[in-house]
Short mmCIF file of all heavy atoms in Angstrom, two decimals:
data_model
loop_
_atom_site.label_atom_id
_atom_site.label_comp_id
_atom_site.label_asym_id
_atom_site.label_seq_id
_atom_site.Cartn_x
_atom_site.Cartn_y
_atom_site.Cartn_z
N VAL G 1555 101.94 78.22 100.14
CA VAL G 1555 101.04 79.31 99.77
C VAL G 1555 101.68 80.65 100.31
O VAL G 1555 101.67 81.52 99.66
CB VAL G 1555 99.61 79.02 100.36
CG1 VAL G 1555 98.81 80.31 100.32
CG2 VAL G 1555 99.02 77.78 99.77
N ASN G 1556 102.08 80.53 101.50
CA ASN G 1556 102.71 81.89 102.15
C ASN G 1556 103.94 82.23 101.55
O ASN G 1556 104.43 83.41 101.71
CB ASN G 1556 102.80 81.61 103.53
CG ASN G 1556 101.53 81.47 104.40
OD1 ASN G 1556 100.68 82.35 103.99
ND2 ASN G 1556 101.42 80.64 105.40
N ALA G 1557 104.64 81.42 100.66
CA ALA G 1557 105.93 81.81 100.08
C ALA G 1557 105.52 82.61 98.77
O ALA G 1557 106.41 83.25 98.19
CB ALA G 1557 106.61 80.50 99.65
N LEU G 1558 104.29 82.62 98.34
CA LEU G 1558 103.94 83.36 97.14
C LEU G 1558 103.94 84.90 97.43
O LEU G 1558 103.54 85.32 98.55
CB LEU G 1558 102.45 82.95 96.72
CG LEU G 1558 102.34 81.54 96.34
CD1 LEU G 1558 100.82 81.27 96.03
CD2 LEU G 1558 103.14 81.13 95.08
N LYS G 1559 104.26 85.66 96.52
CA LYS G 1559 104.38 87.15 96.66
C LYS G 1559 103.63 87.81 95.59
O LYS G 1559 103.53 87.35 94.44
CB LYS G 1559 105.84 87.56 96.62
CG LYS G 1559 106.82 87.01 97.66
CD LYS G 1559 106.40 87.20 99.01
CE LYS G 1559 107.38 86.64 100.05
NZ LYS G 1559 106.97 86.84 101.43
N VAL G 1560 102.98 88.83 95.92
CA VAL G 1560 102.20 89.64 95.00
C VAL G 1560 103.17 90.08 93.89
O VAL G 1560 104.20 90.65 94.19
CB VAL G 1560 101.58 90.85 95.65
CG1 VAL G 1560 100.98 91.81 94.67
CG2 VAL G 1560 100.49 90.45 96.65
N GLY G 1561 102.80 89.96 92.62
CA GLY G 1561 103.52 90.28 91.52
C GLY G 1561 104.33 89.13 90.93
O GLY G 1561 104.79 89.33 89.81
N ASN G 1562 104.50 88.10 91.65
CA ASN G 1562 105.19 86.89 91.11
C ASN G 1562 104.36 86.27 89.88
O ASN G 1562 103.25 86.31 89.89
CB ASN G 1562 105.24 85.78 92.19
CG ASN G 1562 106.23 85.96 93.17
OD1 ASN G 1562 106.95 87.00 93.08
ND2 ASN G 1562 106.41 85.11 94.20
N GLU G 1563 105.17 85.79 88.93
CA GLU G 1563 104.44 85.11 87.62
C GLU G 1563 104.30 83.65 88.05
O GLU G 1563 105.10 83.09 88.58
CB GLU G 1563 105.28 85.27 86.56
CG GLU G 1563 105.20 86.61 85.72
CD GLU G 1563 105.67 86.50 84.35
OE1 GLU G 1563 106.29 85.52 83.98
OE2 GLU G 1563 105.45 87.56 83.65
N VAL G 1564 103.10 83.21 87.65
CA VAL G 1564 102.76 81.72 87.88
C VAL G 1564 102.09 81.25 86.62
O VAL G 1564 101.38 82.02 85.88
CB VAL G 1564 101.86 81.50 89.04
CG1 VAL G 1564 102.58 81.68 90.38
CG2 VAL G 1564 100.51 82.33 89.05
N THR G 1565 102.24 79.98 86.22
CA THR G 1565 101.56 79.36 85.13
C THR G 1565 100.71 78.27 85.56
O THR G 1565 101.07 77.41 86.52
CB THR G 1565 102.62 78.82 84.21
OG1 THR G 1565 103.44 79.90 83.65
CG2 THR G 1565 101.99 78.21 82.93
N GLY G 1566 99.42 78.25 85.04
CA GLY G 1566 98.50 77.21 85.34
C GLY G 1566 97.63 76.80 84.19
O GLY G 1566 97.84 77.42 83.19
N THR G 1567 96.93 75.78 84.42
CA THR G 1567 96.00 75.14 83.41
C THR G 1567 94.61 75.63 83.67
O THR G 1567 94.06 75.28 84.90
CB THR G 1567 96.22 73.70 83.28
OG1 THR G 1567 97.56 73.43 83.03
CG2 THR G 1567 95.29 73.07 82.28
N VAL G 1568 93.83 76.10 82.70
CA VAL G 1568 92.38 76.43 82.97
C VAL G 1568 91.72 75.14 83.24
O VAL G 1568 91.63 74.21 82.41
CB VAL G 1568 91.87 77.18 81.66
CG1 VAL G 1568 90.33 77.41 81.94
CG2 VAL G 1568 92.65 78.44 81.51
N THR G 1569 90.87 75.07 84.33
CA THR G 1569 90.19 73.83 84.67
C THR G 1569 88.65 74.03 84.52
O THR G 1569 87.97 73.16 84.61
CB THR G 1569 90.45 73.42 86.07
OG1 THR G 1569 90.16 74.48 86.96
CG2 THR G 1569 91.93 73.03 86.24
N GLY G 1570 88.24 75.27 84.52
CA GLY G 1570 86.78 75.52 84.39
C GLY G 1570 86.52 77.11 84.43
O GLY G 1570 87.47 77.89 84.50
N PHE G 1571 85.23 77.30 84.54
CA PHE G 1571 84.87 78.82 84.48
C PHE G 1571 83.71 79.09 85.49
O PHE G 1571 82.93 78.19 85.80
CB PHE G 1571 84.36 79.22 82.99
CG PHE G 1571 85.41 79.00 81.93
CD1 PHE G 1571 85.43 77.89 81.15
CD2 PHE G 1571 86.27 80.04 81.64
CE1 PHE G 1571 86.42 77.64 80.12
CE2 PHE G 1571 87.24 79.85 80.65
CZ PHE G 1571 87.38 78.72 79.91
N THR G 1572 83.62 80.34 85.80
CA THR G 1572 82.58 80.90 86.52
C THR G 1572 81.97 81.91 85.63
O THR G 1572 82.41 82.12 84.53
CB THR G 1572 82.89 81.49 87.87
OG1 THR G 1572 83.65 82.71 87.72
CG2 THR G 1572 83.80 80.47 88.69
N LYS G 1573 80.96 82.60 86.14
CA LYS G 1573 80.21 83.59 85.17
C LYS G 1573 81.13 84.85 85.08
O LYS G 1573 81.08 85.52 83.99
CB LYS G 1573 78.97 84.11 86.02
CG LYS G 1573 77.84 83.07 85.95
CD LYS G 1573 76.56 83.67 86.65
CE LYS G 1573 75.42 82.67 86.60
NZ LYS G 1573 74.22 83.19 87.13
N VAL G 1574 82.18 84.94 86.00
CA VAL G 1574 83.07 86.17 85.92
C VAL G 1574 84.45 85.91 85.73
O VAL G 1574 85.24 86.72 85.79
CB VAL G 1574 82.85 87.06 87.15
CG1 VAL G 1574 81.38 87.61 87.25
CG2 VAL G 1574 83.21 86.21 88.49
N GLY G 1575 84.85 84.66 85.52
CA GLY G 1575 86.34 84.30 85.37
C GLY G 1575 86.70 82.88 85.20
O GLY G 1575 85.74 82.02 84.89
N ALA G 1576 87.88 82.60 85.21
CA ALA G 1576 88.41 81.33 84.92
C ALA G 1576 89.15 80.75 86.23
O ALA G 1576 89.90 81.45 86.84
CB ALA G 1576 89.38 81.27 83.67
N MET G 1577 88.97 79.38 86.41
CA MET G 1577 89.72 78.71 87.50
C MET G 1577 90.92 78.06 86.94
O MET G 1577 90.77 77.54 85.78
CB MET G 1577 88.87 77.78 88.25
CG MET G 1577 87.58 78.28 88.81
SD MET G 1577 87.87 79.61 90.05
CE MET G 1577 88.83 78.72 91.37
N LEU G 1578 92.02 78.10 87.55
CA LEU G 1578 93.30 77.55 87.06
C LEU G 1578 93.94 76.59 88.19
O LEU G 1578 93.87 76.87 89.33
CB LEU G 1578 94.29 78.59 86.70
CG LEU G 1578 94.14 79.33 85.47
CD1 LEU G 1578 93.08 80.36 85.75
CD2 LEU G 1578 95.43 80.14 85.12
N ASP G 1579 94.45 75.51 87.59
CA ASP G 1579 95.38 74.61 88.52
C ASP G 1579 96.65 74.99 88.45
O ASP G 1579 97.31 74.99 87.24
CB ASP G 1579 95.20 73.16 87.99
CG ASP G 1579 96.07 72.23 88.71
OD1 ASP G 1579 96.70 72.66 89.66
OD2 ASP G 1579 95.99 70.98 88.44
N LEU G 1580 97.27 75.64 89.53
CA LEU G 1580 98.54 76.15 89.53
C LEU G 1580 99.57 75.19 90.12
O LEU G 1580 100.77 75.46 90.29
CB LEU G 1580 98.64 77.47 90.38
CG LEU G 1580 97.62 78.49 90.00
CD1 LEU G 1580 97.66 79.66 90.99
CD2 LEU G 1580 97.99 79.08 88.62
N GLY G 1581 99.14 74.01 90.40
CA GLY G 1581 100.06 72.98 91.12
C GLY G 1581 100.32 73.46 92.41
O GLY G 1581 101.41 73.07 93.01
N LEU G 1582 99.44 74.20 93.03
CA LEU G 1582 99.58 74.70 94.47
C LEU G 1582 98.38 74.26 95.26
O LEU G 1582 97.49 73.77 94.82
CB LEU G 1582 99.61 76.17 94.38
CG LEU G 1582 100.92 76.88 93.70
CD1 LEU G 1582 100.73 78.30 93.49
CD2 LEU G 1582 102.21 76.61 94.58
N PRO G 1583 98.50 74.40 96.62
CA PRO G 1583 97.38 73.97 97.45
C PRO G 1583 96.09 74.75 97.17
O PRO G 1583 95.03 74.27 97.41
CB PRO G 1583 97.84 74.27 98.92
CG PRO G 1583 99.36 74.21 98.75
CD PRO G 1583 99.55 74.79 97.37
N PHE G 1584 96.22 76.09 96.78
CA PHE G 1584 95.05 76.88 96.37
C PHE G 1584 94.97 77.04 94.82
O PHE G 1584 95.96 77.12 94.19
CB PHE G 1584 95.22 78.34 96.92
CG PHE G 1584 95.21 78.43 98.42
CD1 PHE G 1584 95.06 77.28 99.21
CD2 PHE G 1584 95.29 79.63 98.96
CE1 PHE G 1584 94.92 77.49 100.64
CE2 PHE G 1584 95.36 79.79 100.41
CZ PHE G 1584 95.19 78.67 101.21
N PRO G 1585 93.71 76.93 94.24
CA PRO G 1585 93.58 77.24 92.86
C PRO G 1585 93.76 78.71 92.56
O PRO G 1585 93.65 79.53 93.37
CB PRO G 1585 92.11 76.79 92.67
CG PRO G 1585 91.45 77.08 93.91
CD PRO G 1585 92.42 76.76 94.93
N GLY G 1586 93.92 78.93 91.29
CA GLY G 1586 94.11 80.35 90.82
C GLY G 1586 92.74 80.77 90.23
O GLY G 1586 91.86 79.91 89.81
#
Side-chain angles (χ1 to χ4, degrees):
V1555 171
N1556 287 322
L1558 300 174
K1559 303 297 181 185
V1560 172
N1562 283 357
E1563 278 196 353
V1564 290
T1565 298
T1567 304
V1568 177
T1569 58
F1571 300 94
T1572 68
K1573 292 182 179 180
V1574 295
M1577 302 301 299
L1578 283 77
D1579 179 0
L1580 303 173
L1582 294 168
F1584 291 1

